[in-house]
Amino acid sequence: MNPKEVIRTLWRHRLVSVPILLLTLASALYVFQFAPRSYETSATYAMINPDIPTQLDIVKHPELEKLNSKNPYLRSSDPSLIVQVLLTRLNDSSVADKLKEQGLSSDYTVNRGVGGTNGFLVDITGIADTPEKSFATTRTLGVMLEKDLYDAQKIDGADDSYLFSSILVAPPDKATEQFSSRLRSLIAVLLAGVVLMFGAVSIARSVSVSRNRLKENSGHGPVTETRKRNRNKARFTVDSPDTRQPSGANAGLGPSAEPVRARATDSDDGQRLSELAR
């Protein structure tokens, strides 16, 4: 079906298509203006290696030798293991439950920052329906990160001099609205309206076609112009005086055929000759 035929069909059933179209536009406008919005606030933390005392420092300050250096993450062959541990803890479902208990958003992301799998940066993003809630969620996750970082390394009682520390590189100072969330809702409403309109028009068209067929089968349906012309032509052909067939001896001849005359016999010719001789 070409676009012109689609438009023609929609206009033919405008009592169905126009109200649905207006309802769809009104719904799309409402979603764009008043639907819940989404805001994001991001922060970046950097993991800093501990300042481990050297042998020279221990010689100068013998008391440093008595410090507990049993930090399990310093003995790991992967220096960024502590970052992976933090990501695992913050992405646990229990963290989302704690945020809900505090009235914050449970929608957030915690990923590695620049540097990939071996990087020492952690990006935290809080997502909420208001800027204030998004900012508070990001700040709370930052506090959790610092606490988890400290507790994970103190498992063997290591001294603070042998612990990784964190630095807030990019503070969460601004909440940014995510227009894509409203755009997705708007597209969903428009698609639902289009599907509803075409479905309703298809049903209305099927009902109209079925109704016309029932009327035609019952003999009360409208007669088309072509059928009227065919009936009038047939009636004219039957009733025309020029097309009437001759009867009797002239049957089978055309309308301009002459009447058939009786043929003279030999006896009639002889009688005429005798009369002339007299």
Side-chain angles (χ1 to χ4, degrees):
M1 184 178 292
N2 54 48
K4 291 183 179 180
E5 185 66 23
V6 172
I7 296 174
R8 190 179 298 110
T9 302
L10 293 176
W11 180 250
R12 186 180 303 116
H13 301 282
R14 56 187 175 274
L15 294 179
V16 175
S17 61
V18 173
I20 295 178
L21 178 61
L22 295 177
L23 179 61
T24 301
L25 293 178
S27 301
L29 181 62
Y30 176 83
V31 168
F32 186 78
Q33 292 292 337
F34 304 105
R37 303 184 181 185
S38 178
Y39 296 89
E40 290 186 0
T41 304
S42 298
T44 302
Y45 288 82
M47 302 298 109
I48 305 301
N49 291 323
D51 187 12
I52 301 175
T54 62
Q55 290 297 328
L56 182 59
D57 294 334
I58 294 176
V59 171
K60 292 181 179 181
H61 304 282
E63 65 274 10
L64 296 178
E65 190 175 4
K66 299 179 182 180
L67 298 178
N68 187 350
S69 61
K70 295 182 179 180
N71 184 353
Y73 300 100
L74 289 178
R75 300 193 300 269
S76 174
S77 58
D78 182 7
S80 64
L81 177 62
I82 186 62
V83 177
Q84 185 60 43
V85 171
L86 292 176
L87 296 179
T88 302
R89 287 196 174 191
L90 292 177
N91 285 314
D92 189 76
S93 59
S94 61
V95 175
D97 296 336
K98 291 179 181 179
L99 293 174
K100 286 183 179 180
E101 293 175 359
Q102 301 178 26
L104 301 176
S105 175
S106 60
D107 188 8
Y108 66 91
T109 59
V110 180
N111 300 312
R112 286 182 182 268
V114 180
T117 57
N118 295 324
F120 282 81
L121 295 178
V122 178
D123 291 335
I124 299 176
T125 302
I127 305 171
D129 53 358
T130 62
E132 296 78 11
K133 196 172 184 179
S134 174
F135 180 82
T137 301
T138 303
R139 289 289 300 173
T140 302
L141 287 170
V143 174
M144 290 182 177
L145 180 144
E146 293 176 348
K147 183 177 183 304
D148 289 342
L149 177 63
Y150 183 82
D151 293 343
Q153 299 177 91
K154 294 290 287 186
I155 188 173
D156 292 331
D159 189 80
D160 291 351
S161 300
Y162 291 89
L163 302 182
F164 287 90
S165 59
S166 62
I167 296 178
L168 181 58
V169 179
D173 54 357
K174 183 179 180 182
T176 305
E177 180 184 357
Q178 299 302 304
F179 181 75
S180 59
S181 61
R182 282 197 293 168
L183 184 60
R184 286 193 296 267
S185 301
L186 181 63
I187 293 175
V189 170
L190 292 176
L191 288 178
V194 170
V195 171
L196 178 61
M197 182 176 62
F198 277 96
V201 170
S202 298
I203 295 174
R205 183 171 179 270
S206 300
V207 171
S208 178
V209 172
S210 299
R211 186 180 302 165
N212 291 336
R213 287 179 179 175
L214 290 175
K215 288 182 179 181
E216 291 180 1
N217 293 335
S218 62
H220 300 289
V223 181
T224 62
E225 294 297 329
T226 303
R227 294 177 61 185
K228 286 182 178 180
R229 287 196 298 267
N230 292 337
R231 289 183 179 180
N232 293 335
K233 184 177 179 181
R235 188 180 298 112
F236 176 78
T237 303
V238 173
D239 297 338
S240 177
D242 295 337
T243 58
R244 294 178 181 175
Q245 295 295 333
S247 59
N250 294 330
L253 299 179
S256 60
E258 295 293 335
V260 179
R261 297 179 180 179
R263 186 177 179 180
T265 60
D266 295 339
S267 60
D268 294 337
D269 293 340
Q271 186 178 358
R272 288 178 183 177
L273 291 176
S274 62
E275 292 178 354
L276 290 176
R278 291 177 184 175

